[in-house]
Every structure is written in structure tokens, then in C-alpha cells.
Amino acid sequence: MVEPLLIAKSDPAKTDSPLYLLPQMANRHGLVAGATGTGKTVTLQVMAEAFSRIGVPVFAADIKGDLSGISQPGTDNPKIQERVKNLELGEFSFTGCPVTFWDVFGEQGHPVRATISEMGPLLLGRLLNLNDTQEGVLTLVFKIADDNQLLLLDLKDLQSMLQYVGENAKNFQTQYGNISAASIGAIQRGLLTIQQQGGEKFFGEPALNLDDLLQTDAQGHGIVNILAADKLNQSPKLYATFLLWLLTSLFEQLPEVGDPEKPKLVFFFDEAHLLFSDLPKIIEDKVVQVVRLIRSKGVGVYFVTQNPLDIPQTVLGQLGNRVQHALRAFTPQDQKAVKAAAETFRTNPKLDVGKAITELETGEALVSFLDEKGSPGMVERAVICPPHSQIGPITPEQRQELVKSSVVAGVYENAVDRESAYEVLRARTGQVVTATAAPGQAPSSSPPWYENIPGMSSHGRRGDNLADALAKSAARAMGSSLGRQIVRGVLGSLLGGSKKR
Ligand SMILES: Nc1ncnc2c1ncn2[C@@H]1O[C@H](COP(=O)(O)OP(=O)(O)OP(=O)(O)O)[C@@H](O)[C@H]1O
Ligand SMILES: [Mg+2]
């Protein structure tokens, strides 16, 4: 049995009862909500620390940069001392957690990338703001690439593929259906916008190996993976798309573990409203489904948001462990949120939840964690423990130091541009390609036209990321020896496959 995680104590003035987050219930997800400045990020930090301590790796997006302090020991100050004393925490030690920093733009952490193929047409369609018709064409373009064994790795692969399909639209039309020039043009314009927002850095290789998020250090402490998201916040679609992709990929790649004694990974979505704002119904449904099913893979998902109403009811209903910080009740909209938040708790006869919610002080919250049977505990008004690590951001120098010494240092730093659709199509300029296989069918038994292209001939899996990464610039040379196959977008298969309109 793994020790329960002390997160808070119910109001010490009244009782002194510890509130534990049970590791075996941590994959039943959670919610941290509250108005700005009420203590959400510190609560996240306290939870993340606790997970790390019992060997559970964590992934969290850091919107304001203030979560980075989790990497450093905290410092004693009168406020912390007071909290330690009030909560009767006794000897309180200051320690930091092992941290790996990630950054889509490769500036404040290790570059994190995904391939176009992994992203899949549906999420990409959302990223590009495509309508149904345009997204349909994008899906066809993926299909044509697939059937022709053309790898879609980076933006220029997709760009050249679009151009190629556009130019040969007539040839493909009979087999794949209508491909309008206007739709191709819309997708191309969308790609240009993404490129201008720095998407070029995000799409490509070496793509993130999910195992790199599941690491522990020499002491057996879980690594806290922090995604620098301050800039991503300015391109919320890219942020949301990336996180949805990550969640879905984890879901697809991790094995079933049933009910583990502690999670394999805990995922914190800060500013969760960004994920759900104008999310098409079809993707929202899938998110709901993934959140429900990922539990059995041992992944706990915690949403952090100002207003619980920002999260769809279907998702909210699945969040078992709850910490509700203060909400304001100025406007009717606010009052609605207060009411909604109050109604989700298992009532406590001694507590007027609706009233308490508006009175809570910073670092105080209404807390309800799941008990051993998986039932929500009675809601308590509680003071959240102080973190053992530093509150607030670290310096850029400290960050650079940690990036240099991290377990994945050097693995992702250099982008690799191996042979893919762009290169193949460029080399083939002037030749007319006909599809080698009917949609959905394997290529025919006669050797396909790409058989002689290095790295395209065998049907093994795509070169493993670790191999890619270790070989870095040598990866291209060894590419032909690594069996590879077009990887169907993770979301392509999960989301695209069952797509019905
Ligand atoms: N559990 C705690 N222990 C000690 N100090 C705390 C705790 N919770 C909150 N604080 C104090 O309150 C401040 C604000 O908390 P925090 O940054 O977590 O708020 P927030 O809800 O994340 O705000 P925002 O919505 O602006 O991101 C912290 O900088 C810290 O000084
Ligand atoms: Mg915060």
C-alpha cells in the first residue's frame, strides 16, 4: 500500500483532520478550481510534489511560469512558518522535485515535437480552423499520402502533399472523391498562419517519445515534466491541440493496468478552459471518452480552472478528487458558478458550501477526495499544506542549468529532417503518380514505386524515437536500415476512424 498523500487539513480551528488524496484513487481524476489568486497553482504544486515523492511522474503545463519553482527547495518565511504551525506539520523540510522542462518553441525547455501524421487530420483541422468540407479534403490528403507511402512529418511535407494533390486532383478524384481547389487553398492558408505562429518548430522529428515523460530519478522520485506554456497561451489553439494530442497518444500507447496502487502518470491541465473553448462536439466527445478510459491506463487527469462551468458537464462528472478555492459572487454568472460548484460536493451537514465558497482565504479550499471505496468524501473546509518547494518562478539561469543536466539533454535539441513526402515529391517532380492501392487496402503484391527509396521499403514500425534521438544527425544515414511504415495519426485512427457526420 502506498502512503496516502497529505494535501490539506480541515480548518484547524475546529478539528485537526488530515485530508488525504489516496494514490490508488488518484487515477479517478480531479479538479482544482477557484478565482484568480486564490491558490490554485500552489495546490497543483503541493499535489505534484506529493506524487513525485511516491514515484509518480507528473506532466503539467505552466502558463504563467510560476510552477517552475517546484524544481527548487522552498525557503522558510513567516507565512510558511505560520501555515506549518497552524497545520501542526511538525518538522517541515524544504526540497525541490526533479524536473524536466519542455517547450514547443524550444526556448525554455527541451523542444517537444509531434509529426503531422501523429497529429492526424481531425486535430489539425481544428488547429487550422477548417470547416467540414475543408477538413474532409485534409482527411483525403492524409489518405492519399498513406496509400502512396508518403510520410507526413513536418509542415513542408503537408504543404508539398497539398500542392501535389491539388495539381493531380483530377487523377485522384475518381478514387477519393471531390477535391476542390478552394479547400486545398484554405488548408494552405491555414498552414501559413500556423507557420507564422511558430508551428514549424512543433511539427517534425525527433517527435516526443512518451516514455520520456514517465521517468523517475535515482531516488525513485517521479520526474515533474513542465511544459512552458506562457507563449502557447498566445496561440491557444496550438496549446489545446498539443495537449489533446498528448492525452490521446498516452491513451493509445499505454497498456491497460486496471486499478494500480498508484498512477503511472498524473496530468495537470492548467487554464483548462482553453482546451474546451470552441471545441467541436466531435472532439469534445472523444475527450470525454479518453478521460473516462485513460483511468484504466493508470493516468490521472486534473483540470485546473477558474470556473468549473468552463469544463463540460460530461467531463466534470468524471473528476473525483476536488479542491474548490474561493469564487467570487458578484455577477449572476458568478453566482451560477458558485451554485454549480457547491452542488457537485457530497454535502456536509456542518457546512454551508455555497456560503463558504465565497469566504475562503488564499490557500484555503473546500476539499473532497475519494475514499478507499471510490466514494467522494464529505466536503470539508480546509487549509492547503504549504509546498516543500519554492513558490514562484525560477531564474532563466536556473532553468538553463536544469535543461542542460536533464535526463533527456541532447535528445531533442537537434531537429532531424529525414526523407519524407517533401523530399520524395520534390525528387519526383514531373512524374505522374497514380495511387498504388485502393483506399483502405494494402499496396499490391508487385513492388510499389517507392520500393527503391531508402527507408521506404520495409513495413516495420517507424524508427523508434530513442534510436532516432541517439543517432541525431546520423539518423538519416541509418534510416534505410530502420524498418518503417507510415504511422497513422494517433488521432487519425482514434478520432478520424469513427468519424461520422
Ligand atoms: N498552500 C499554500 N501555501 C502557502 N502559500 C500559498 C498557498 N496557496 C496560495 N499561497 C499564496 O498565495 C499566492 C497565490 O496563489 P496561486 O498563485 O496559487 O494562485 P492562483 O489561483 O494560481 O492564481 P492565478 O489564477 O492568478 O494563477 C501564492 O503566491 C502564495 O504566496
Ligand atoms: Mg495560477
Side-chain angles (χ1 to χ4, degrees):
M1 194 58 125
V2 185
E3 57 172 299
L5 310 176
L6 179 68
I7 304 297
K9 284 192 173 179
S10 56
D11 204 337
K14 293 173 199 145
T15 53
D16 175 31
S17 104
L19 293 170
Y20 293 114
L21 178 54
L22 301 181
Q24 70 271 30
M25 291 296 154
N27 64 340
R28 310 259 182 124
H29 310 323
L31 174 72
V32 178
T36 176
T38 54
K40 298 184 298 297
T41 300
V42 177
T43 298
L44 187 169
Q45 189 170 343
V46 170
M47 287 182 169
E49 276 182 355
F51 284 122
S52 172
R53 212 159 36 237
I54 59 163
V56 175
V58 167
F59 182 94
D62 190 11
I63 305 281
K64 295 192 177 147
D66 52 354
L67 191 57
S68 54
I70 199 170
S71 61
Q72 309 295 323
T75 41
D76 213 359
N77 70 43
K79 271 186 155 170
I80 299 285
Q81 274 171 13
E82 192 191 323
R83 204 171 272 259
V84 169
K85 191 160 158 272
N86 280 347
L87 296 179
E88 296 174 9
L89 296 175
E91 285 280 305
F92 190 80
S93 61
F94 292 100
T95 47
C97 295
V99 165
T100 302
F101 289 108
W102 302 93
D103 181 5
V104 165
F105 302 103
E107 289 157 12
Q108 300 189 61
H110 303 288
V112 41
R113 299 185 196 85
T115 64
I116 292 281
S117 171
E118 285 171 328
M119 190 60 71
L122 196 58
L123 271 189
L124 212 52
R126 177 172 186 243
L127 187 61
L128 301 176
N129 269 330
L130 303 184
N131 67 23
D132 287 1
T133 313
Q134 296 156 350
E135 194 206 293
V137 169
L138 183 62
T139 306
L140 288 183
V141 169
F142 268 69
K143 181 111 197 59
I144 293 169
D146 242 22
D147 291 344
N148 285 281
Q149 307 280 304
L150 289 164
L151 287 169
L152 297 177
L153 302 179
D154 51 25
L155 284 182
K156 64 183 184 336
D157 287 332
L158 185 54
Q159 273 152 349
S160 49
M161 196 63 209
L162 282 165
Q163 196 187 343
Y164 166 66
V165 171
E167 285 166 1
N168 296 282
K170 280 220 174 68
N171 298 344
F172 289 118
Q173 217 117 307
T174 40
Q175 201 175 351
Y176 293 91
N178 192 30
I179 299 167
S180 87
S183 293
I184 295 272
I187 304 170
Q188 283 170 326
R189 278 192 300 280
L191 283 181
L192 215 58
T193 312
I194 297 302
Q195 200 168 14
Q196 283 155 0
Q197 287 174 6
E200 227 168 9
K201 292 218 171 85
F202 176 61
F203 290 107
E205 290 187 317
L208 178 66
N209 181 347
L210 296 180
D211 285 345
D212 286 346
L213 301 180
L214 302 174
Q215 301 299 315
T216 48
D217 72 357
Q219 279 74 48
H221 293 170
I223 305 273
V224 179
N225 296 279
I226 297 183
L227 177 74
D230 48 346
K231 244 174 139 188
L232 274 183
N233 203 13
Q234 292 157 19
S235 32
K237 278 238 162 77
L238 188 59
Y239 169 69
T241 311
F242 168 68
L243 290 175
L244 291 176
W245 167 77
L246 191 54
L247 191 64
T248 328
S249 309
L250 282 165
F251 169 70
E252 284 226 324
Q253 291 186 25
L254 291 177
E256 287 283 329
V257 291
D259 274 322
E261 61 171 13
K262 63 181 183 187
K264 285 195 81 156
L265 177 74
V266 172
F267 216 101
F268 287 99
F269 279 115
D270 205 351
E271 306 284 338
H273 64 277
L274 290 180
L275 288 179
F276 296 106
S277 65
D278 3 287
L279 198 61
K281 183 80 175 70
I282 177 173
I283 300 189
E284 184 185 309
D285 290 348
K286 291 295 172 184
V287 172
V288 170
Q289 193 188 345
V290 169
V291 168
R292 185 181 314 121
L293 298 175
I294 205 166
R295 225 178 84 177
S296 64
K297 311 271 176 141
V299 177
V301 183
Y302 289 70
F303 293 93
V304 183
T305 187
Q306 294 200 7
N307 184 343
L309 292 176
D310 292 336
I311 296 176
Q313 203 58 41
T314 40
V315 174
L316 213 51
Q318 299 183 49
L319 310 179
N321 299 295
R322 290 171 180 234
V323 178
Q324 175 68 60
H325 287 282
L327 287 174
R328 315 197 198 299
F330 302 141
T331 66
Q333 187 63 22
D334 291 342
Q335 282 150 17
K336 217 172 128 197
V338 167
K339 192 161 172 285
E343 278 168 359
T344 59
F345 285 112
R346 186 183 137 200
T347 48
N348 179 342
K350 289 191 225 123
L351 192 62
D352 179 348
V353 171
K355 185 163 169 282
I357 267 185
T358 58
E359 296 171 354
L360 296 165
E361 288 174 18
T362 304
E364 210 187 348
L366 297 174
V367 177
S368 166
F369 294 136
L370 295 176
D371 65 18
E372 302 85 351
K373 295 203 183 78
S375 317
M378 205 187 272
V379 59
E380 300 276 2
R381 181 170 176 165
V383 177
I384 308 291
C385 294
H388 297 265
S389 52
Q390 173 184 321
I391 292 176
I394 56 174
T395 65
E397 292 75 30
Q398 284 174 314
R399 186 185 284 267
Q400 288 315 320
E401 217 31 66
L402 285 165
V403 169
K404 260 191 255 158
S405 62
S406 102
V407 284
V408 291
V411 176
Y412 294 99
E413 270 55 28
N414 296 321
V416 174
D417 190 9
R418 71 177 153 117
E419 194 150 58
S420 48
Y422 169 77
E423 288 80 8
V424 175
L425 289 171
R426 201 181 45 177
R428 295 171 39 81
T429 314
Q431 288 176 257
V432 179
V433 175
T434 52
T436 55
Q441 279 174 16
S444 62
S445 55
S446 57
W449 58 267
Y450 50 82
E451 193 62 40
N452 296 327
I453 299 167
M456 296 286 282
S457 56
S458 75
H459 291 267
R461 269 200 74 80
R462 178 178 66 128
D464 187 55
N465 284 321
L466 185 63
D468 269 347
L470 288 176
K472 283 195 288 186
S473 57
R476 292 191 74 170
M478 60 187 274
S480 54
S481 64
L482 293 171
R484 64 185 47 138
Q485 181 186 44
I486 307 258
V487 181
R488 298 223 51 137
V490 169
L491 281 150
S493 59
L494 186 75
L495 299 176
S498 59
K499 188 177 148 193
K500 289 192 192 82
R501 283 184 201 277

